[in-house]
Amino acid sequence: MASTTRVWLGAAQQKLGALFAEREIFLRSGGHVRFVRISSRIQKTCAATLLAGLIGWGSVTATMLSNQASVQIDRAALDQQARSVAAQTSKVNAYKRSVGDIAADLDRRQDMLDDMVRSQFGGESLSKAVVGHQPDTAKSSTSKDTNKKISSAMPGPRDLRALETRQIAFARQLASVIDKRAQKAEAAIRSFGLNPAQVAQQARAQGGPFVPWSGQDDGQAAAAFANLAHSLARLNALERGLVAIPSGQPTTTPMLTSSYGYRSDPFTGQPAFHAGLDFPGSYGQPILAAATGRVSYVGQRSGYGNVVEIDHGHGIMTRYAHLSGFNAHVGETVTRGLPIARMGSTGRSTGTHLHFEVRVNGAPINPRRFLEATQDVLQVQQIAKQRVANVPA
Protein backbone atom coordinates (compact mmCIF):
# COMPACT_ATOMS: atom_id res chain seq x y z
CA MET A 1 0.00 0.00 0.00
CA ALA A 2 2.84 2.39 0.90
CA SER A 3 4.69 1.58 -2.33
CA THR A 4 1.56 2.26 -4.36
CA THR A 5 1.18 5.63 -2.66
CA ARG A 6 4.82 6.43 -3.37
CA VAL A 7 4.36 5.47 -7.00
CA TRP A 8 1.23 7.64 -7.27
CA LEU A 9 2.98 10.59 -5.62
CA GLY A 10 5.97 10.20 -7.91
CA ALA A 11 3.77 10.18 -10.99
CA ALA A 12 1.97 13.24 -9.72
CA GLN A 13 5.26 15.06 -9.16
CA GLN A 14 6.40 14.18 -12.67
CA LYS A 15 3.14 15.53 -14.13
CA LEU A 16 3.41 18.72 -12.08
CA GLY A 17 7.05 19.06 -13.10
CA ALA A 18 6.13 18.67 -16.78
CA LEU A 19 3.19 21.09 -16.34
CA PHE A 20 5.27 23.74 -14.63
CA ALA A 21 8.59 23.12 -16.52
CA GLU A 22 10.92 26.09 -16.87
CA ARG A 23 9.89 28.18 -19.88
CA GLU A 24 11.53 30.94 -21.98
CA ILE A 25 9.63 33.57 -23.82
CA PHE A 26 11.43 35.27 -26.76
CA LEU A 27 10.69 38.95 -27.51
CA ARG A 28 11.86 40.74 -30.69
CA SER A 29 12.01 44.52 -30.65
CA GLY A 30 14.00 46.90 -32.86
CA GLY A 31 16.09 44.15 -34.36
CA HIS A 32 17.05 42.88 -30.96
CA VAL A 33 15.94 39.62 -29.51
CA ARG A 34 15.31 39.30 -25.84
CA PHE A 35 13.95 36.43 -23.83
CA VAL A 36 12.31 36.12 -20.46
CA ARG A 37 12.85 33.05 -18.38
CA ILE A 38 9.93 31.86 -16.19
CA SER A 39 11.08 29.38 -13.67
CA SER A 40 9.06 26.42 -12.47
CA ARG A 41 8.83 27.91 -9.01
CA ILE A 42 7.29 31.15 -10.27
CA GLN A 43 4.73 29.20 -12.28
CA LYS A 44 3.79 27.10 -9.27
CA THR A 45 3.52 30.22 -7.09
CA CYS A 46 1.22 31.94 -9.62
CA ALA A 47 -0.87 28.80 -10.01
CA ALA A 48 -1.15 28.43 -6.25
CA THR A 49 -2.13 32.07 -5.91
CA LEU A 50 -4.75 31.73 -8.65
CA LEU A 51 -6.08 28.56 -7.10
CA ALA A 52 -6.28 30.20 -3.69
CA GLY A 53 -8.17 33.11 -5.24
CA LEU A 54 -10.59 30.77 -6.94
CA ILE A 55 -11.11 28.87 -3.71
CA GLY A 56 -11.70 32.14 -1.81
CA TRP A 57 -14.13 33.43 -4.44
CA GLY A 58 -15.97 30.10 -4.37
CA SER A 59 -16.13 30.19 -0.59
CA VAL A 60 -17.51 33.76 -0.57
CA THR A 61 -20.01 32.87 -3.28
CA ALA A 62 -21.13 29.78 -1.39
CA THR A 63 -21.48 31.82 1.80
CA MET A 64 -23.58 34.45 -0.01
CA LEU A 65 -25.80 31.80 -1.56
CA SER A 66 -26.22 30.17 1.83
CA ASN A 67 -27.12 33.50 3.45
CA GLN A 68 -29.56 34.28 0.64
CA ALA A 69 -31.24 30.91 1.11
CA SER A 70 -31.42 31.52 4.86
CA VAL A 71 -32.99 34.96 4.24
CA GLN A 72 -35.58 33.38 1.93
CA ILE A 73 -36.40 30.80 4.57
CA ASP A 74 -36.74 33.50 7.25
CA ARG A 75 -38.88 35.62 4.92
CA ALA A 76 -41.17 32.67 4.21
CA ALA A 77 -41.48 32.07 7.94
CA LEU A 78 -42.32 35.76 8.52
CA ASP A 79 -44.88 35.68 5.71
CA GLN A 80 -46.49 32.64 7.29
CA GLN A 81 -46.57 34.39 10.66
CA ALA A 82 -48.10 37.49 9.05
CA ARG A 83 -50.79 35.36 7.42
CA SER A 84 -51.46 33.68 10.73
CA VAL A 85 -51.70 37.04 12.51
CA ALA A 86 -54.03 38.35 9.79
CA ALA A 87 -56.24 35.28 10.16
CA GLN A 88 -56.37 35.72 13.93
CA THR A 89 -57.08 39.45 13.50
CA SER A 90 -59.91 38.61 11.13
CA LYS A 91 -61.35 36.21 13.69
CA VAL A 92 -61.05 38.84 16.43
CA ASN A 93 -62.70 41.48 14.24
CA ALA A 94 -65.51 39.06 13.36
CA TYR A 95 -65.94 38.32 17.07
CA LYS A 96 -66.03 42.05 17.86
CA ARG A 97 -68.60 42.64 15.13
CA SER A 98 -70.72 39.80 16.43
CA VAL A 99 -70.58 41.08 20.00
CA GLY A 100 -71.14 44.63 18.76
CA ASP A 101 -74.23 43.59 16.80
CA ILE A 102 -75.70 41.84 19.83
CA ALA A 103 -74.97 44.86 22.04
CA ALA A 104 -76.52 47.21 19.47
CA ASP A 105 -79.67 45.05 19.39
CA LEU A 106 -79.85 45.17 23.18
CA ASP A 107 -79.48 48.96 23.06
CA ARG A 108 -82.33 49.27 20.56
CA ARG A 109 -84.60 47.05 22.64
CA GLN A 110 -83.61 48.91 25.80
CA ASP A 111 -84.53 52.23 24.19
CA MET A 112 -87.86 50.75 23.10
CA LEU A 113 -88.59 49.52 26.62
CA ASP A 114 -87.65 52.90 28.08
CA ASP A 115 -89.92 54.71 25.64
CA MET A 116 -92.80 52.33 26.35
CA VAL A 117 -92.56 52.71 30.10
CA ARG A 118 -92.18 56.49 29.94
CA SER A 119 -95.22 56.80 27.68
CA GLN A 120 -97.36 54.33 29.64
CA PHE A 121 -96.32 54.96 33.23
CA GLY A 122 -94.08 58.05 33.23
CA GLY A 123 -90.87 58.11 35.22
CA GLU A 124 -87.22 57.90 34.34
CA SER A 125 -85.32 55.52 32.09
CA LEU A 126 -85.54 51.87 33.00
CA SER A 127 -81.92 51.07 32.16
CA LYS A 128 -81.21 50.38 35.81
CA ALA A 129 -84.56 48.73 36.50
CA VAL A 130 -84.33 46.37 33.54
CA VAL A 131 -80.62 45.72 33.26
CA GLY A 132 -79.90 46.07 36.96
CA HIS A 133 -76.38 45.65 38.30
CA GLN A 134 -73.98 44.84 35.52
CA PRO A 135 -71.72 41.77 35.57
CA ASP A 136 -68.25 42.32 36.97
CA THR A 137 -66.74 42.56 33.48
CA ALA A 138 -68.92 45.53 32.63
CA LYS A 139 -69.43 47.03 36.08
CA SER A 140 -66.55 49.47 35.85
CA SER A 141 -67.93 50.88 32.59
CA THR A 142 -71.56 51.20 33.63
CA SER A 143 -71.68 51.83 37.38
CA LYS A 144 -71.24 55.58 36.97
CA ASP A 145 -73.99 55.99 34.39
CA THR A 146 -76.98 53.68 34.52
CA ASN A 147 -78.29 55.15 31.25
CA LYS A 148 -75.07 54.46 29.37
CA LYS A 149 -75.37 52.40 26.21
CA ILE A 150 -74.77 48.69 26.64
CA SER A 151 -72.67 48.65 23.48
CA SER A 152 -70.27 51.24 24.94
CA ALA A 153 -69.35 48.86 27.79
CA MET A 154 -68.85 45.93 25.38
CA PRO A 155 -69.31 43.08 27.90
CA GLY A 156 -68.65 39.51 26.87
CA PRO A 157 -71.12 37.28 25.00
CA ARG A 158 -72.15 35.49 28.18
CA ASP A 159 -72.94 38.79 29.89
CA LEU A 160 -74.85 40.01 26.86
CA ARG A 161 -76.93 36.84 26.81
CA ALA A 162 -77.75 37.35 30.50
CA LEU A 163 -78.86 40.93 29.80
CA GLU A 164 -80.98 39.75 26.87
CA THR A 165 -82.67 37.17 29.09
CA ARG A 166 -83.53 39.89 31.61
CA GLN A 167 -84.93 42.11 28.86
CA ILE A 168 -87.15 39.30 27.59
CA ALA A 169 -88.43 38.61 31.12
CA PHE A 170 -89.13 42.31 31.65
CA ALA A 171 -90.94 42.56 28.30
CA ARG A 172 -93.21 39.72 29.38
CA GLN A 173 -93.90 41.37 32.73
CA LEU A 174 -94.62 44.69 31.04
CA ALA A 175 -97.02 43.01 28.61
CA SER A 176 -98.82 41.42 31.57
CA VAL A 177 -99.23 44.81 33.30
CA ILE A 178 -100.46 46.39 30.07
CA ASP A 179 -102.98 43.56 29.53
CA LYS A 180 -104.41 44.12 33.02
CA ARG A 181 -104.80 47.83 32.31
CA ALA A 182 -106.48 47.00 28.99
CA GLN A 183 -108.96 44.78 30.84
CA LYS A 184 -109.89 47.70 33.10
CA ALA A 185 -110.35 49.94 30.05
CA GLU A 186 -112.59 47.31 28.45
CA ALA A 187 -114.73 47.08 31.58
CA ALA A 188 -115.04 50.88 31.73
CA ILE A 189 -116.11 51.06 28.07
CA ARG A 190 -118.73 48.35 28.66
CA SER A 191 -120.09 50.33 31.61
CA PHE A 192 -120.99 53.09 29.14
CA GLY A 193 -122.95 50.57 27.08
CA LEU A 194 -120.38 50.47 24.28
CA ASN A 195 -118.60 47.56 22.62
CA PRO A 196 -114.85 47.70 23.40
CA ALA A 197 -113.98 45.93 20.13
CA GLN A 198 -115.86 48.53 18.09
CA VAL A 199 -114.29 51.38 20.01
CA ALA A 200 -110.82 49.89 19.55
CA GLN A 201 -111.40 49.54 15.80
CA GLN A 202 -111.78 53.31 15.62
CA ALA A 203 -108.11 53.71 16.50
CA ARG A 204 -106.10 56.56 15.07
CA ALA A 205 -104.83 56.20 11.51
CA GLN A 206 -101.39 54.68 11.08
CA GLY A 207 -99.10 53.96 8.16
CA GLY A 208 -95.66 54.48 6.66
CA PRO A 209 -93.21 52.44 4.57
CA PHE A 210 -92.41 48.90 5.67
CA VAL A 211 -88.94 48.77 7.22
CA PRO A 212 -88.15 45.28 8.56
CA TRP A 213 -86.74 45.06 12.06
CA SER A 214 -82.97 44.65 11.73
CA GLY A 215 -82.36 43.00 15.07
CA GLN A 216 -81.09 39.45 15.43
CA ASP A 217 -83.83 38.33 17.83
CA ASP A 218 -84.18 34.63 18.48
CA GLY A 219 -87.56 32.93 18.80
CA GLN A 220 -88.13 33.83 22.46
CA ALA A 221 -87.13 37.47 22.07
CA ALA A 222 -89.17 37.92 18.88
CA ALA A 223 -92.26 36.38 20.49
CA ALA A 224 -91.90 38.40 23.71
CA PHE A 225 -91.50 41.76 21.97
CA ALA A 226 -94.17 41.01 19.34
CA ASN A 227 -96.61 40.18 22.16
CA LEU A 228 -95.62 43.37 24.00
CA ALA A 229 -96.18 45.48 20.87
CA HIS A 230 -99.59 43.85 20.32
CA SER A 231 -100.63 44.44 23.94
CA LEU A 232 -99.51 48.05 23.78
CA ALA A 233 -101.37 48.72 20.51
CA ARG A 234 -104.54 47.21 21.98
CA LEU A 235 -104.23 49.31 25.14
CA ASN A 236 -103.65 52.48 23.11
CA ALA A 237 -106.79 51.88 21.04
CA LEU A 238 -108.94 51.07 24.08
CA GLU A 239 -107.75 53.99 26.21
CA ARG A 240 -108.00 56.49 23.39
CA GLY A 241 -111.56 55.31 22.88
CA LEU A 242 -112.22 55.52 26.60
CA VAL A 243 -110.92 59.09 26.76
CA ALA A 244 -113.19 60.02 23.84
CA ILE A 245 -116.32 58.93 25.74
CA PRO A 246 -118.12 62.00 27.16
CA SER A 247 -118.49 61.80 30.92
CA GLY A 248 -118.39 65.43 31.96
CA GLN A 249 -121.50 67.43 32.81
CA PRO A 250 -122.41 69.74 29.90
CA THR A 251 -123.67 72.37 32.36
CA THR A 252 -123.66 72.98 36.10
CA THR A 253 -127.42 72.34 36.42
CA PRO A 254 -127.99 68.87 37.92
CA MET A 255 -131.77 68.62 37.25
CA LEU A 256 -133.32 67.16 34.10
CA THR A 257 -136.56 68.47 32.62
CA SER A 258 -136.83 65.69 30.03
CA SER A 259 -135.19 62.28 29.75
CA TYR A 260 -133.99 60.21 26.83
CA GLY A 261 -136.52 58.06 24.99
CA TYR A 262 -140.22 58.29 24.30
CA ARG A 263 -142.13 61.22 25.78
CA SER A 264 -145.17 63.40 25.19
CA ASP A 265 -144.24 66.10 22.71
CA PRO A 266 -144.37 69.53 24.50
CA PHE A 267 -146.08 71.18 21.49
CA THR A 268 -148.50 68.52 20.23
CA GLY A 269 -148.86 66.23 23.24
CA GLN A 270 -148.39 63.23 20.98
CA PRO A 271 -145.88 60.41 21.72
CA ALA A 272 -142.47 61.27 20.34
CA PHE A 273 -138.88 60.11 20.58
CA HIS A 274 -136.48 62.36 22.50
CA ALA A 275 -132.87 61.72 21.41
CA GLY A 276 -131.17 63.41 24.37
CA LEU A 277 -131.43 64.94 27.81
CA ASP A 278 -132.74 68.41 28.67
CA PHE A 279 -131.00 70.52 31.32
CA PRO A 280 -132.80 73.65 32.61
CA GLY A 281 -130.87 76.77 33.54
CA SER A 282 -130.56 80.51 33.21
CA TYR A 283 -130.22 82.34 29.93
CA GLY A 284 -126.55 82.70 28.90
CA GLN A 285 -125.38 80.02 31.34
CA PRO A 286 -122.07 78.43 30.13
CA ILE A 287 -122.30 75.17 28.19
CA LEU A 288 -119.27 72.91 28.70
CA ALA A 289 -117.63 70.29 26.49
CA ALA A 290 -118.40 66.84 27.89
CA ALA A 291 -115.11 65.40 26.57
CA THR A 292 -112.05 66.40 24.59
CA GLY A 293 -112.62 66.61 20.85
CA ARG A 294 -112.72 68.74 17.70
CA VAL A 295 -115.59 71.11 16.99
CA SER A 296 -117.18 69.76 13.80
CA TYR A 297 -120.23 72.02 13.46
CA VAL A 298 -121.37 75.44 14.69
CA GLY A 299 -124.65 76.81 13.38
CA GLN A 300 -128.35 76.08 13.14
CA ARG A 301 -130.20 72.81 12.60
CA SER A 302 -133.91 72.36 12.08
CA GLY A 303 -135.71 71.89 15.39
CA TYR A 304 -132.48 72.31 17.36
CA GLY A 305 -131.92 76.02 16.85
CA ASN A 306 -128.31 77.05 17.47
CA VAL A 307 -126.08 73.99 17.72
CA VAL A 308 -122.50 73.06 18.54
CA GLU A 309 -121.31 69.55 17.64
CA ILE A 310 -118.05 68.01 18.82
CA ASP A 311 -116.37 65.01 17.19
CA HIS A 312 -114.56 62.98 19.85
CA GLY A 313 -113.23 60.35 17.45
CA HIS A 314 -114.01 56.64 17.55
CA GLY A 315 -117.41 57.41 16.02
CA ILE A 316 -118.54 59.41 19.08
CA MET A 317 -120.19 62.84 18.71
CA THR A 318 -121.91 65.14 21.24
CA ARG A 319 -124.53 67.73 20.29
CA TYR A 320 -125.46 70.83 22.29
CA ALA A 321 -128.69 72.55 21.13
CA HIS A 322 -131.08 75.53 21.72
CA LEU A 323 -128.07 77.78 22.37
CA SER A 324 -128.15 81.55 22.68
CA GLY A 325 -124.54 82.05 21.57
CA PHE A 326 -121.25 80.34 20.65
CA ASN A 327 -117.81 80.29 22.29
CA ALA A 328 -116.17 77.85 19.85
CA HIS A 329 -115.57 77.67 16.09
CA VAL A 330 -115.33 74.82 13.61
CA GLY A 331 -111.97 73.02 13.65
CA GLU A 332 -111.10 74.10 17.18
CA THR A 333 -109.86 71.44 19.59
CA VAL A 334 -111.59 71.69 22.95
CA THR A 335 -110.97 69.91 26.22
CA ARG A 336 -113.44 68.54 28.72
CA GLY A 337 -115.02 71.32 30.81
CA LEU A 338 -114.14 74.12 28.36
CA PRO A 339 -117.02 76.61 27.71
CA ILE A 340 -118.17 76.16 24.12
CA ALA A 341 -121.54 78.00 24.09
CA ARG A 342 -124.25 79.70 26.13
CA MET A 343 -127.66 78.36 27.15
CA GLY A 344 -130.74 79.69 25.35
CA SER A 345 -134.11 78.76 23.87
CA THR A 346 -133.62 78.80 20.09
CA GLY A 347 -135.29 76.37 17.73
CA ARG A 348 -138.21 74.19 18.77
CA SER A 349 -138.08 75.03 22.48
CA THR A 350 -140.58 76.04 25.18
CA GLY A 351 -138.02 77.77 27.42
CA THR A 352 -134.39 78.25 28.32
CA HIS A 353 -132.60 74.89 28.56
CA LEU A 354 -129.85 72.75 27.01
CA HIS A 355 -130.63 69.77 24.80
CA PHE A 356 -127.68 67.36 25.06
CA GLU A 357 -127.16 64.35 22.77
CA VAL A 358 -124.55 61.61 22.45
CA ARG A 359 -124.35 59.79 19.11
CA VAL A 360 -122.20 56.77 18.20
CA ASN A 361 -121.68 56.23 14.49
CA GLY A 362 -124.60 58.57 13.85
CA ALA A 363 -127.11 56.77 16.08
CA PRO A 364 -128.33 58.44 19.32
CA ILE A 365 -127.77 56.62 22.61
CA ASN A 366 -128.85 57.44 26.12
CA PRO A 367 -126.44 60.05 27.56
CA ARG A 368 -127.47 59.23 31.12
CA ARG A 369 -125.06 56.29 31.36
CA PHE A 370 -122.18 58.64 30.44
CA LEU A 371 -123.15 61.30 32.97
CA GLU A 372 -123.78 58.83 35.80
CA ALA A 373 -120.56 56.84 35.52
CA THR A 374 -119.25 55.46 38.80
CA GLN A 375 -116.20 56.91 40.48
CA ASP A 376 -114.18 53.77 39.67
CA VAL A 377 -114.94 54.13 35.96
CA LEU A 378 -114.14 57.84 36.04
CA GLN A 379 -110.83 57.08 37.74
CA VAL A 380 -109.90 54.56 35.04
CA GLN A 381 -110.84 57.14 32.42
CA GLN A 382 -108.77 59.83 34.11
CA ILE A 383 -105.71 57.54 34.26
CA ALA A 384 -106.20 56.76 30.58
CA LYS A 385 -106.45 60.46 29.81
CA GLN A 386 -103.15 61.19 31.56
CA ARG A 387 -101.42 58.29 29.79
CA VAL A 388 -102.78 59.17 26.35
CA ALA A 389 -101.54 62.73 26.84
CA ASN A 390 -97.99 61.32 27.15
CA VAL A 391 -98.24 59.24 23.97
CA PRO A 392 -97.35 61.12 20.76
CA ALA A 393 -100.34 61.47 18.44
Side-chain angles (χ1 to χ4, degrees):
M1 184 70 177
S3 60
T4 302
T5 302
R6 284 195 296 272
V7 171
W8 182 83
L9 290 174
Q13 289 177 355
Q14 290 178 359
K15 290 182 179 181
L16 287 174
L19 180 63
F20 296 104
E22 186 176 282
R23 302 179 187 280
E24 292 182 349
I25 299 176
F26 293 90
L27 300 175
R28 183 184 295 274
S29 176
H32 296 283
V33 177
R34 298 173 57 189
F35 65 93
V36 178
R37 186 186 302 275
I38 302 177
S39 65
S40 175
R41 182 177 180 181
I42 292 175
Q43 294 181 46
K44 291 179 179 179
T45 301
C46 292
T49 302
L50 178 61
L51 180 61
L54 290 174
I55 293 173
W57 176 83
S59 177
V60 171
T61 301
T63 301
M64 291 177 63
L65 292 175
S66 175
N67 291 337
Q68 186 175 4
S70 177
V71 168
Q72 293 294 335
I73 293 172
D74 291 342
R75 181 176 296 173
L78 289 175
D79 290 341
Q80 180 62 32
Q81 290 180 357
R83 286 192 293 270
S84 177
V85 170
Q88 294 298 325
T89 301
S90 177
K91 291 180 180 179
V92 171
N93 290 336
Y95 165 80
K96 287 182 178 179
R97 285 194 297 271
S98 176
V99 173
D101 291 342
I102 295 174
D105 288 341
L106 290 175
D107 278 333
R108 283 192 291 269
R109 288 206 298 253
Q110 187 65 40
D111 291 340
M112 181 179 69
L113 288 171
D114 287 345
D115 290 340
M116 283 185 178
V117 174
R118 276 194 296 266
S119 64
Q120 304 305 316
F121 307 103
E124 299 297 330
S125 169
L126 286 185
S127 293
K128 184 175 181 180
V130 177
V131 179
H133 297 293
Q134 302 295 324
D136 293 339
T137 55
K139 186 174 182 180
S140 60
S141 300
T142 57
S143 58
K144 294 182 180 180
D145 185 2
T146 56
N147 293 330
K148 194 173 183 179
K149 292 292 185 183
I150 297 171
S151 55
S152 65
M154 288 300 290
R158 191 173 296 178
D159 300 327
L160 291 175
R161 181 59 63 180
L163 295 181
E164 181 183 40
T165 300
R166 297 189 67 177
Q167 281 188 343
I168 293 172
F170 184 83
R172 290 170 177 167
Q173 293 175 358
L174 184 57
S176 177
V177 172
I178 289 175
D179 287 340
K180 291 179 180 178
R181 176 172 284 185
Q183 292 173 3
K184 291 183 178 180
E186 281 186 330
I189 292 173
R190 288 194 187 95
S191 71
F192 291 111
L194 301 176
N195 186 337
Q198 292 181 348
V199 172
Q201 287 177 354
Q202 299 287 338
R204 57 180 177 156
Q206 296 180 350
F210 173 69
V211 180
W213 172 255
S214 60
Q216 304 297 322
D217 292 340
D218 57 21
Q220 288 186 346
F225 282 89
N227 182 61
L228 176 58
H230 174 75
S231 297
L232 184 60
R234 176 168 168 265
L235 176 64
N236 284 340
L238 289 170
E239 290 196 332
R240 286 183 181 277
L242 179 60
V243 170
I245 295 175
S247 59
Q249 293 288 336
T251 185
T252 57
T253 304
M255 296 177 59
L256 301 176
T257 58
S258 183
S259 297
Y260 176 88
Y262 289 95
R263 69 174 182 177
S264 177
D265 184 79
F267 290 94
T268 66
Q270 297 179 356
F273 176 73
H274 189 230
L277 300 177
D278 288 345
F279 293 81
S282 58
Y283 189 87
Q285 182 174 319
I287 304 302
L288 313 176
T292 298
R294 184 182 62 86
V295 178
S296 58
Y297 183 83
V298 174
Q300 292 187 343
R301 291 196 183 278
S302 177
Y304 290 96
N306 293 332
V307 170
V308 172
E309 295 176 356
I310 301 176
D311 180 6
H312 304 281
H314 304 268
I316 302 173
M317 183 267 282
T318 53
R319 176 178 290 164
Y320 312 79
H322 306 310
L323 307 173
S324 63
F326 307 112
N327 293 78
H329 59 270
V330 174
E332 180 183 0
T333 298
V334 295
T335 57
R336 174 180 170 177
L338 184 73
I340 57 172
R342 297 180 295 279
M343 189 178 294
S345 184
T346 58
R348 198 169 182 270
S349 171
T350 61
T352 301
H353 73 285
L354 167 69
H355 174 85
F356 175 66
E357 287 184 13
V358 177
R359 291 178 175 261
V360 178
N361 296 323
I365 60 175
N366 191 348
R368 186 181 292 275
R369 64 185 63 183
F370 299 98
L371 305 180
E372 295 179 353
T374 65
Q375 187 61 37
D376 291 342
V377 172
L378 293 177
Q379 184 177 8
V380 173
Q381 189 182 44
Q382 181 62 27
I383 293 175
K385 180 180 179 181
Q386 293 175 353
R387 190 199 65 79
V388 168
N390 293 327
V391 179

